[in-house]
Amino acid sequence: MRGSLQAYKQVSVNAQLASASPHRIIQMLYAGAIERLIQGKAAMEQGNIAVKCERLTKALDIVLSLRDCLSMEDGGDIAKNLDALYDFMGSEISRANAENVTQPIDDVIGMLREIKSAWDQIPAEYHYLTETN
């Protein structure tokens, strides 16, 4: 049953991605990173090392993907600040995983929620803007 649910979720995510604006994709990445961090923290607290490592690694991959999406040439100070923040988040996720401590996870979740909240407030007319527009 769990495998079927996972397959359904994957199809749902793929369908959303196929029709998503660049803005929506970034929202999904933030939500995914937050979700994986929460799951990783829960696994850590339950002593499930394998799941902890897998979830925190996925969260780290998402944060690195967000970092890769930055346009350093066009983004100015905002892109530079986000680059440094994503670098810090990556270090904190790695530290939490290696040292088996939850505080860095809580800190990164807080930062991601704050950035996502700001991102969510971008007016709809800007959701499809890209570098080529």
Coordinates of all heavy atoms in Angstrom, one line a residue, residues 8-101:
Y8 N 1.7 7.3 -6.4 CA 0.6 8.3 -6.7 C 1.1 9.7 -6.4 O 0.9 10.6 -7.2 CB -0.6 8.0 -5.8 CG -1.7 9.1 -5.9 CD1 -2.5 9.1 -7.1 CD2 -1.8 10.1 -5.0 CE1 -3.5 10.1 -7.2 CE2 -2.8 11.1 -5.1 CZ -3.6 11.1 -6.2 OH -4.6 12.0 -6.4
K9 N 1.8 9.9 -5.3 CA 2.4 11.2 -4.9 C 3.4 11.6 -6.0 O 3.4 12.8 -6.4 CB 3.1 11.1 -3.6 CG 2.2 11.2 -2.4 CD 3.0 11.2 -1.1 CE 2.2 11.2 0.1 NZ 3.0 11.2 1.3
Q10 N 4.2 10.7 -6.5 CA 5.2 11.1 -7.6 C 4.5 11.5 -8.8 O 4.9 12.5 -9.5 CB 6.1 9.9 -7.8 CG 7.3 10.2 -8.8 CD 8.2 11.3 -8.2 OE1 8.5 11.4 -7.1 NE2 8.5 12.3 -9.1
V11 N 3.4 10.8 -9.2 CA 2.7 11.2 -10.4 C 2.1 12.6 -10.2 O 2.1 13.4 -11.1 CB 1.6 10.1 -10.8 CG1 0.6 10.7 -11.8 CG2 2.2 8.8 -11.2
S12 N 1.6 12.8 -9.0 CA 1.0 14.1 -8.7 C 2.0 15.2 -8.8 O 1.7 16.3 -9.4 CB 0.3 14.1 -7.3 OG -0.2 15.3 -6.9
V13 N 3.2 15.0 -8.2 CA 4.2 16.0 -8.3 C 4.7 16.3 -9.7 O 4.8 17.4 -10.1 CB 5.4 15.6 -7.4 CG1 6.6 16.5 -7.7 CG2 5.1 15.6 -5.9
N14 N 4.8 15.2 -10.5 CA 5.2 15.3 -11.9 C 4.2 16.1 -12.7 O 4.5 16.9 -13.5 CB 5.5 14.0 -12.5 CG 6.7 13.3 -12.0 OD1 7.6 13.9 -11.4 ND2 6.8 12.0 -12.2
A15 N 2.9 15.9 -12.4 CA 1.8 16.6 -13.1 C 1.9 18.1 -12.7 O 1.7 18.9 -13.6 CB 0.5 16.0 -12.8
Q16 N 2.1 18.4 -11.5 CA 2.2 19.8 -11.0 C 3.4 20.5 -11.7 O 3.3 21.6 -12.1 CB 2.3 19.8 -9.5 CG 1.1 19.5 -8.7 CD 1.3 19.6 -7.2 OE1 1.9 20.5 -6.8 NE2 0.8 18.6 -6.5
L17 N 4.5 19.8 -11.7 CA 5.7 20.4 -12.3 C 5.5 20.7 -13.8 O 6.0 21.7 -14.3 CB 6.9 19.4 -12.2 CG 7.6 19.5 -10.8 CD1 8.6 18.4 -10.7 CD2 8.2 20.8 -10.5
A18 N 4.8 19.8 -14.5 CA 4.6 19.9 -16.0 C 3.9 21.2 -16.3 O 4.1 21.8 -17.3 CB 3.9 18.7 -16.5
S19 N 3.0 21.7 -15.4 CA 2.2 22.9 -15.7 C 2.6 24.0 -14.8 O 1.9 25.1 -14.9 CB 0.7 22.5 -15.6 OG 0.5 22.2 -14.2
A20 N 3.6 23.9 -14.0 CA 4.0 24.9 -13.0 C 4.7 26.1 -13.6 O 5.6 25.9 -14.5 CB 4.8 24.3 -11.9
S21 N 4.5 27.3 -13.1 CA 5.3 28.4 -13.4 C 6.6 28.3 -12.7 O 6.8 27.6 -11.8 CB 4.6 29.7 -13.0 OG 4.5 29.8 -11.5
P22 N 7.6 29.1 -13.2 CA 8.9 29.1 -12.5 C 8.7 29.5 -11.0 O 9.4 28.9 -10.1 CB 9.7 30.2 -13.2 CG 9.1 30.2 -14.6 CD 7.7 29.9 -14.4
H23 N 7.8 30.4 -10.7 CA 7.5 30.8 -9.4 C 7.0 29.6 -8.5 O 7.4 29.3 -7.4 CB 6.5 31.9 -9.4 CG 6.1 32.4 -8.0 ND1 5.1 31.8 -7.3 CD2 6.6 33.4 -7.3 CE1 4.9 32.5 -6.2 NE2 5.9 33.4 -6.1
R24 N 6.1 28.8 -9.1 CA 5.5 27.7 -8.4 C 6.5 26.6 -8.2 O 6.5 26.0 -7.1 CB 4.3 27.1 -9.2 CG 3.6 25.9 -8.6 CD 2.9 26.3 -7.3 NE 2.4 25.1 -6.7 CZ 2.6 24.7 -5.4 NH1 3.3 25.5 -4.6 NH2 2.1 23.6 -5.0
I25 N 7.4 26.4 -9.1 CA 8.5 25.4 -8.9 C 9.3 25.7 -7.7 O 9.6 24.9 -6.9 CB 9.3 25.2 -10.2 CG1 8.4 24.6 -11.3 CG2 10.6 24.4 -9.9 CD1 9.1 24.6 -12.7
I26 N 9.7 27.0 -7.6 CA 10.5 27.4 -6.4 C 9.7 27.2 -5.1 O 10.2 26.8 -4.1 CB 10.9 28.9 -6.6 CG1 11.8 29.1 -7.8 CG2 11.7 29.4 -5.3 CD1 13.1 28.3 -7.8
Q27 N 8.4 27.6 -5.1 CA 7.5 27.3 -4.0 C 7.5 25.8 -3.6 O 7.6 25.5 -2.4 CB 6.1 27.7 -4.3 CG 5.8 29.2 -4.2 CD 4.4 29.5 -4.6 OE1 3.9 29.1 -5.6 NE2 3.8 30.4 -3.7
M28 N 7.4 25.0 -4.6 CA 7.5 23.5 -4.3 C 8.8 23.1 -3.8 O 8.8 22.2 -2.9 CB 7.1 22.8 -5.6 CG 5.7 23.0 -6.1 SD 5.4 22.3 -7.7 CE 5.5 20.5 -7.4
L29 N 9.9 23.7 -4.2 CA 11.2 23.3 -3.7 C 11.3 23.7 -2.2 O 11.8 22.9 -1.4 CB 12.3 24.0 -4.5 CG 12.5 23.4 -5.9 CD1 13.5 24.3 -6.7 CD2 13.1 22.0 -5.8
Y30 N 10.9 24.9 -1.9 CA 10.9 25.3 -0.5 C 10.0 24.4 0.4 O 10.5 23.9 1.4 CB 10.3 26.8 -0.3 CG 11.3 27.8 -0.7 CD1 11.0 28.9 -1.6 CD2 12.6 27.9 -0.3 CE1 11.8 29.9 -2.0 CE2 13.5 28.8 -0.6 CZ 13.1 29.8 -1.5 OH 14.0 30.8 -1.9
A31 N 8.8 24.1 -0.1 CA 7.9 23.2 0.7 C 8.6 21.8 0.8 O 8.5 21.2 1.9 CB 6.6 23.1 0.0
G32 N 9.2 21.3 -0.2 CA 9.8 20.0 -0.2 C 11.0 20.0 0.8 O 11.2 19.0 1.5
A33 N 11.8 21.0 0.8 CA 12.9 21.1 1.7 C 12.5 21.1 3.1 O 13.0 20.4 4.0 CB 13.8 22.3 1.4
I34 N 11.4 21.9 3.4 CA 10.9 22.0 4.8 C 10.3 20.7 5.2 O 10.6 20.2 6.3 CB 9.8 23.1 4.9 CG1 10.5 24.5 4.7 CG2 9.1 23.0 6.2 CD1 9.5 25.6 4.4
E35 N 9.6 20.0 4.3 CA 9.0 18.7 4.6 C 10.1 17.7 4.9 O 10.0 16.9 5.9 CB 8.1 18.2 3.5 CG 7.4 16.9 3.7 CD 6.6 16.5 2.6 OE1 6.3 17.3 1.6 OE2 6.1 15.3 2.6
R36 N 11.1 17.6 4.1 CA 12.2 16.6 4.3 C 12.9 16.9 5.6 O 13.3 16.0 6.3 CB 13.2 16.6 3.2 CG 12.7 16.2 1.8 CD 11.8 15.0 1.8 NE 11.3 14.7 0.5 CZ 10.3 15.4 -0.2 NH1 9.9 16.5 0.2 NH2 9.9 14.9 -1.4
L37 N 13.1 18.2 6.0 CA 13.8 18.5 7.2 C 13.0 18.1 8.4 O 13.5 17.5 9.4 CB 14.1 20.0 7.3 CG 15.2 20.5 6.4 CD1 15.2 22.0 6.3 CD2 16.6 20.0 6.8
I38 N 11.7 18.3 8.4 CA 10.8 17.9 9.5 C 10.8 16.4 9.6 O 10.9 15.8 10.7 CB 9.4 18.4 9.2 CG1 9.3 19.9 9.4 CG2 8.4 17.7 10.2 CD1 8.0 20.6 8.9
Q39 N 10.8 15.7 8.5 CA 10.9 14.2 8.5 C 12.2 13.7 9.0 O 12.3 12.8 9.8 CB 10.6 13.6 7.1 CG 9.2 13.8 6.6 CD 9.1 13.5 5.1 OE1 10.1 13.5 4.4 NE2 7.9 13.4 4.6
G40 N 13.3 14.4 8.6 CA 14.6 14.0 9.1 C 14.8 14.2 10.6 O 15.4 13.4 11.3
K41 N 14.2 15.3 11.1 CA 14.3 15.6 12.5 C 13.5 14.5 13.3 O 14.0 14.0 14.3 CB 13.7 17.0 12.8 CG 13.8 17.3 14.3 CD 13.2 18.7 14.5 CE 13.0 18.9 16.0 NZ 12.3 20.2 16.3
A42 N 12.3 14.2 12.8 CA 11.5 13.2 13.5 C 12.2 11.8 13.5 O 12.3 11.1 14.5 CB 10.2 13.0 12.8
A43 N 12.9 11.5 12.4 CA 13.6 10.2 12.3 C 14.8 10.3 13.3 O 15.1 9.3 13.9 CB 14.1 10.0 10.9
M44 N 15.5 11.4 13.4 CA 16.6 11.6 14.3 C 16.1 11.3 15.7 O 16.7 10.6 16.5 CB 17.2 13.0 14.1 CG 18.4 13.2 15.0 SD 19.0 14.9 14.9 CE 19.5 15.0 13.2
E45 N 15.0 12.0 16.1 CA 14.5 11.8 17.4 C 14.0 10.4 17.7 O 14.0 10.0 18.9 CB 13.3 12.8 17.6 CG 13.8 14.3 17.6 CD 12.7 15.3 17.6 OE1 11.6 15.0 17.2 OE2 13.0 16.5 18.0
Q46 N 13.6 9.7 16.7 CA 13.2 8.3 16.9 C 14.4 7.3 16.8 O 14.2 6.1 17.0 CB 12.2 7.9 15.8 CG 10.9 8.7 16.0 CD 10.0 8.6 14.7 OE1 10.3 7.9 13.8 NE2 8.8 9.2 14.8
G47 N 15.6 7.8 16.5 CA 16.7 7.0 16.4 C 16.8 6.2 15.1 O 17.6 5.2 15.0
N48 N 16.1 6.6 14.1 CA 16.1 5.9 12.8 C 17.1 6.6 11.9 O 16.8 7.5 11.1 CB 14.7 5.9 12.2 CG 14.6 5.1 10.9 OD1 15.6 4.8 10.3 ND2 13.4 4.6 10.6
I49 N 18.3 6.1 12.0 CA 19.5 6.8 11.4 C 19.4 6.7 9.8 O 19.7 7.7 9.1 CB 20.8 6.1 11.8 CG1 21.0 6.2 13.3 CG2 22.0 6.8 11.1 CD1 20.9 7.6 13.9
A50 N 18.9 5.6 9.3 CA 18.8 5.5 7.8 C 17.9 6.5 7.2 O 18.2 7.2 6.3 CB 18.4 4.1 7.4
V51 N 16.7 6.6 7.8 CA 15.7 7.6 7.3 C 16.2 9.0 7.6 O 16.0 9.9 6.7 CB 14.3 7.3 8.0 CG1 13.3 8.4 7.6 CG2 13.8 6.0 7.6
K52 N 16.8 9.3 8.7 CA 17.3 10.6 9.0 C 18.3 11.0 7.9 O 18.2 12.1 7.4 CB 18.0 10.6 10.4 CG 18.8 11.9 10.7 CD 19.9 11.8 11.7 CE 21.1 11.1 11.1 NZ 22.3 11.4 11.8
C53 N 19.2 10.2 7.6 CA 20.2 10.5 6.6 C 19.6 10.7 5.2 O 20.0 11.7 4.5 CB 21.3 9.4 6.5 SG 22.4 9.3 8.0
E54 N 18.7 9.8 4.9 CA 18.0 9.9 3.6 C 17.2 11.3 3.5 O 17.4 12.0 2.5 CB 17.1 8.7 3.4 CG 16.5 8.6 2.0 CD 15.1 9.1 1.9 OE1 14.4 9.1 3.0 OE2 14.7 9.5 0.8
R55 N 16.5 11.6 4.5 CA 15.6 12.8 4.4 C 16.5 14.1 4.5 O 16.2 15.0 3.7 CB 14.6 12.8 5.6 CG 13.6 11.8 5.5 CD 12.7 11.9 4.2 NE 11.5 11.0 4.3 CZ 11.4 9.8 3.9 NH1 12.5 9.2 3.3 NH2 10.3 9.1 4.0
L56 N 17.5 14.1 5.3 CA 18.4 15.3 5.4 C 19.2 15.5 4.1 O 19.4 16.6 3.7 CB 19.2 15.2 6.6 CG 18.5 15.3 8.0 CD1 19.5 15.3 9.1 CD2 17.6 16.5 8.1
T57 N 19.6 14.3 3.5 CA 20.3 14.4 2.3 C 19.4 15.0 1.2 O 19.8 15.8 0.4 CB 20.9 13.0 1.9 OG1 21.8 12.6 2.9 CG2 21.6 13.1 0.5
K58 N 18.1 14.6 1.1 CA 17.2 15.1 0.2 C 17.0 16.6 0.4 O 16.9 17.4 -0.6 CB 15.9 14.4 0.2 CG 15.9 13.0 -0.5 CD 14.5 12.4 -0.6 CE 14.7 11.1 -1.3 NZ 13.3 10.5 -1.6
A59 N 16.9 17.0 1.7 CA 16.7 18.4 2.0 C 17.9 19.2 1.5 O 17.8 20.3 0.9 CB 16.5 18.6 3.5
L60 N 19.1 18.7 1.8 CA 20.3 19.3 1.3 C 20.4 19.4 -0.2 O 20.7 20.5 -0.7 CB 21.5 18.5 1.8 CG 22.9 19.1 1.4 CD1 23.1 20.5 1.9 CD2 24.0 18.1 2.0
D61 N 20.0 18.4 -0.9 CA 19.9 18.4 -2.4 C 19.0 19.6 -2.9 O 19.3 20.2 -3.8 CB 19.5 17.1 -3.0 CG 20.5 16.0 -2.8 OD1 21.7 16.3 -2.6 OD2 20.1 14.8 -3.0
I62 N 17.9 19.7 -2.2 CA 16.9 20.8 -2.6 C 17.5 22.1 -2.4 O 17.4 23.0 -3.2 CB 15.6 20.6 -1.9 CG1 14.9 19.3 -2.3 CG2 14.7 21.8 -2.1 CD1 13.7 19.0 -1.5
V63 N 18.1 22.3 -1.2 CA 18.8 23.6 -0.9 C 19.9 23.9 -1.9 O 20.0 25.1 -2.4 CB 19.3 23.7 0.5 CG1 20.2 24.9 0.8 CG2 18.2 23.7 1.5
L64 N 20.7 22.9 -2.3 CA 21.7 23.1 -3.3 C 21.1 23.4 -4.7 O 21.6 24.2 -5.4 CB 22.6 21.9 -3.4 CG 23.4 21.6 -2.2 CD1 24.2 20.3 -2.3 CD2 24.4 22.8 -1.8
S65 N 19.9 22.8 -5.0 CA 19.2 23.1 -6.2 C 18.7 24.6 -6.2 O 18.8 25.3 -7.3 CB 18.0 22.2 -6.4 OG 18.5 20.9 -6.6
L66 N 18.2 25.0 -5.1 CA 17.8 26.4 -5.0 C 18.9 27.4 -5.2 O 18.8 28.4 -5.9 CB 17.1 26.7 -3.6 CG 15.7 26.1 -3.4 CD1 15.4 26.1 -1.9 CD2 14.7 26.9 -4.2
R67 N 20.1 27.0 -4.7 CA 21.3 27.8 -4.8 C 21.7 27.8 -6.3 O 22.1 28.9 -6.9 CB 22.4 27.2 -4.0 CG 23.6 28.1 -3.9 CD 24.7 27.5 -3.0 NE 25.8 28.5 -2.8 CZ 26.9 28.1 -2.3 NH1 27.2 26.9 -1.9 NH2 27.9 29.0 -2.2
D68 N 21.6 26.7 -7.0 CA 22.0 26.6 -8.4 C 21.0 27.4 -9.3 O 21.4 27.8 -10.4 CB 22.0 25.1 -8.9 CG 23.1 24.3 -8.3 OD1 24.1 25.0 -7.9 OD2 23.1 23.1 -8.4
C69 N 19.8 27.7 -8.8 CA 18.8 28.4 -9.6 C 19.1 29.9 -9.6 O 18.6 30.7 -10.4 CB 17.4 28.2 -9.0 SG 16.8 26.6 -9.3
L70 N 20.0 30.4 -8.7 CA 20.2 31.8 -8.6 C 20.9 32.4 -9.8 O 21.8 31.7 -10.3 CB 21.1 32.1 -7.3 CG 20.5 31.8 -6.0 CD1 21.6 32.0 -4.9 CD2 19.3 32.7 -5.7
S71 N 20.5 33.5 -10.2 CA 21.2 34.2 -11.3 C 22.0 35.3 -10.7 O 21.6 36.4 -10.3 CB 20.1 34.9 -12.3 OG 20.8 35.6 -13.2
M72 N 23.3 35.0 -10.5 CA 24.2 35.9 -9.8 C 24.4 37.2 -10.6 O 24.6 38.3 -10.1 CB 25.6 35.2 -9.6 CG 25.5 34.0 -8.7 SD 24.6 34.3 -7.1 CE 25.8 35.1 -6.2
E73 N 24.4 37.1 -12.0 CA 24.5 38.3 -12.8 C 23.3 39.3 -12.7 O 23.5 40.5 -12.6 CB 24.8 37.9 -14.3 CG 26.0 37.1 -14.5 CD 26.2 36.6 -15.9 OE1 25.4 37.0 -16.7 OE2 27.1 35.8 -16.1
D74 N 22.1 38.7 -12.7 CA 20.9 39.5 -12.7 C 20.4 39.8 -11.4 O 19.6 40.7 -11.2 CB 19.8 38.8 -13.6 CG 20.2 38.6 -15.0 OD1 21.0 39.5 -15.5 OD2 19.9 37.6 -15.6
G75 N 20.7 39.0 -10.4 CA 20.1 39.0 -9.1 C 20.7 40.0 -8.1 O 20.1 40.3 -7.0
G76 N 21.8 40.6 -8.4 CA 22.4 41.6 -7.6 C 22.7 41.1 -6.1 O 23.0 40.0 -5.9
D77 N 22.4 42.1 -5.2 CA 22.7 41.8 -3.8 C 21.7 40.7 -3.3 O 22.2 39.9 -2.4 CB 22.5 43.0 -3.0 CG 23.6 44.0 -3.1 OD1 24.7 43.6 -3.6 OD2 23.5 45.2 -2.8
I78 N 20.5 40.6 -3.8 CA 19.6 39.6 -3.3 C 20.1 38.2 -3.6 O 20.2 37.3 -2.7 CB 18.2 39.8 -3.9 CG1 17.6 41.1 -3.4 CG2 17.3 38.6 -3.6 CD1 16.3 41.5 -4.0
A79 N 20.6 38.0 -4.8 CA 21.2 36.7 -5.2 C 22.4 36.4 -4.4 O 22.6 35.3 -3.9 CB 21.5 36.7 -6.7
K80 N 23.3 37.4 -4.2 CA 24.5 37.2 -3.3 C 24.1 36.8 -1.9 O 24.7 35.9 -1.3 CB 25.4 38.4 -3.4 CG 26.0 38.7 -4.7 CD 26.8 40.0 -4.7 CE 27.3 40.3 -6.1 NZ 27.8 41.7 -6.2
N81 N 23.1 37.5 -1.4 CA 22.7 37.2 0.0 C 22.1 35.8 0.1 O 22.4 35.0 1.1 CB 21.7 38.2 0.5 CG 22.4 39.6 0.8 OD1 23.6 39.7 0.9 ND2 21.6 40.6 0.7
L82 N 21.2 35.4 -0.9 CA 20.6 34.1 -0.9 C 21.7 33.0 -1.1 O 21.6 32.0 -0.4 CB 19.6 34.0 -2.0 CG 18.2 34.6 -1.7 CD1 17.3 34.7 -2.9 CD2 17.5 34.0 -0.5
D83 N 22.7 33.3 -1.9 CA 23.8 32.3 -2.1 C 24.5 32.0 -0.8 O 24.7 30.9 -0.4 CB 24.8 32.9 -3.1 CG 25.9 31.9 -3.5 OD1 25.6 30.8 -3.9 OD2 27.1 32.3 -3.2
A84 N 24.8 33.1 -0.1 CA 25.5 32.9 1.2 C 24.5 32.2 2.2 O 25.0 31.3 3.0 CB 25.9 34.3 1.8
L85 N 23.3 32.5 2.2 CA 22.3 31.9 3.1 C 22.1 30.4 2.8 O 22.1 29.6 3.7 CB 21.0 32.6 3.0 CG 19.9 32.3 4.1 CD1 20.5 32.5 5.5 CD2 18.7 33.1 3.9
Y86 N 22.0 30.1 1.5 CA 21.9 28.7 1.1 C 23.2 27.9 1.5 O 23.1 26.7 1.9 CB 21.6 28.5 -0.4 CG 20.2 29.0 -0.8 CD1 20.1 29.6 -2.1 CD2 19.1 28.9 0.0 CE1 18.8 30.0 -2.5 CE2 17.9 29.4 -0.4 CZ 17.7 29.9 -1.7 OH 16.5 30.3 -2.1
D87 N 24.3 28.5 1.3 CA 25.6 27.9 1.7 C 25.6 27.6 3.2 O 25.9 26.5 3.6 CB 26.8 28.8 1.4 CG 28.1 28.2 1.7 OD1 28.4 27.1 1.2 OD2 28.9 28.8 2.4
F88 N 25.1 28.6 4.0 CA 25.0 28.4 5.4 C 24.0 27.2 5.8 O 24.3 26.4 6.6 CB 24.6 29.7 6.1 CG 24.4 29.5 7.6 CD1 25.4 29.4 8.5 CD2 23.1 29.5 8.1 CE1 25.2 29.3 9.8 CE2 22.8 29.4 9.5 CZ 23.9 29.3 10.3
M89 N 22.9 27.2 5.1 CA 21.9 26.2 5.3 C 22.5 24.8 5.0 O 22.2 23.9 5.8 CB 20.6 26.4 4.5 CG 19.8 27.6 4.9 SD 18.4 27.7 3.8 CE 17.7 29.3 4.1
G90 N 23.2 24.7 3.9 CA 23.8 23.4 3.6 C 24.7 23.0 4.7 O 24.7 21.8 5.0
S91 N 25.5 23.9 5.2 CA 26.5 23.5 6.2 C 25.7 23.1 7.5 O 26.2 22.1 8.2 CB 27.4 24.7 6.6 OG 28.2 25.1 5.5
E92 N 24.7 23.8 7.8 CA 23.9 23.4 9.0 C 23.2 22.1 8.9 O 23.1 21.3 9.8 CB 22.9 24.5 9.3 CG 23.5 25.8 9.9 CD 24.2 25.6 11.2 OE1 23.6 25.6 12.2 OE2 25.5 25.4 11.2
I93 N 22.7 21.8 7.7 CA 22.0 20.5 7.5 C 23.1 19.4 7.6 O 22.8 18.4 8.3 CB 21.3 20.4 6.1 CG1 20.1 21.4 6.1 CG2 20.9 19.0 5.8 CD1 19.6 21.6 4.7
S94 N 24.2 19.6 7.0 CA 25.3 18.6 7.1 C 25.8 18.4 8.6 O 26.0 17.3 9.0 CB 26.5 19.0 6.3 OG 26.1 19.1 4.9
R95 N 25.9 19.5 9.3 CA 26.3 19.4 10.7 C 25.2 18.7 11.5 O 25.6 17.8 12.4 CB 26.5 20.8 11.3 CG 27.0 20.8 12.7 CD 27.4 22.2 13.2 NE 26.3 23.1 13.4 CZ 25.7 23.3 14.6 NH1 26.0 22.5 15.6 NH2 24.7 24.1 14.7
A96 N 24.0 19.0 11.3 CA 22.9 18.3 12.0 C 23.0 16.8 11.8 O 22.8 16.0 12.7 CB 21.5 18.8 11.6
N97 N 23.2 16.4 10.5 CA 23.3 15.0 10.2 C 24.5 14.3 10.8 O 24.4 13.3 11.4 CB 23.3 14.9 8.6 CG 22.9 13.5 8.2 OD1 22.5 12.7 8.9 ND2 23.1 13.3 6.9
A98 N 25.6 15.0 10.7 CA 26.9 14.4 11.2 C 26.9 14.3 12.8 O 27.3 13.3 13.3 CB 28.1 15.2 10.8
E99 N 26.4 15.4 13.4 CA 26.4 15.4 14.9 C 25.2 14.9 15.6 O 25.1 14.9 16.8 CB 26.7 16.9 15.3 CG 28.1 17.4 14.8 CD 28.3 18.8 15.2 OE1 27.6 19.4 16.0 OE2 29.3 19.4 14.7
N100 N 24.2 14.6 14.8 CA 22.9 14.1 15.3 C 22.3 15.1 16.3 O 21.8 14.7 17.3 CB 23.1 12.7 15.9 CG 21.9 11.8 15.7 OD1 21.3 11.8 14.6 ND2 21.5 11.2 16.8
V101 N 22.2 16.4 15.8 CA 21.6 17.4 16.7 C 20.5 18.1 15.9 O 20.6 18.2 14.7 CB 22.6 18.5 17.1 CG1 23.6 17.9 18.1 CG2 23.4 19.0 15.9

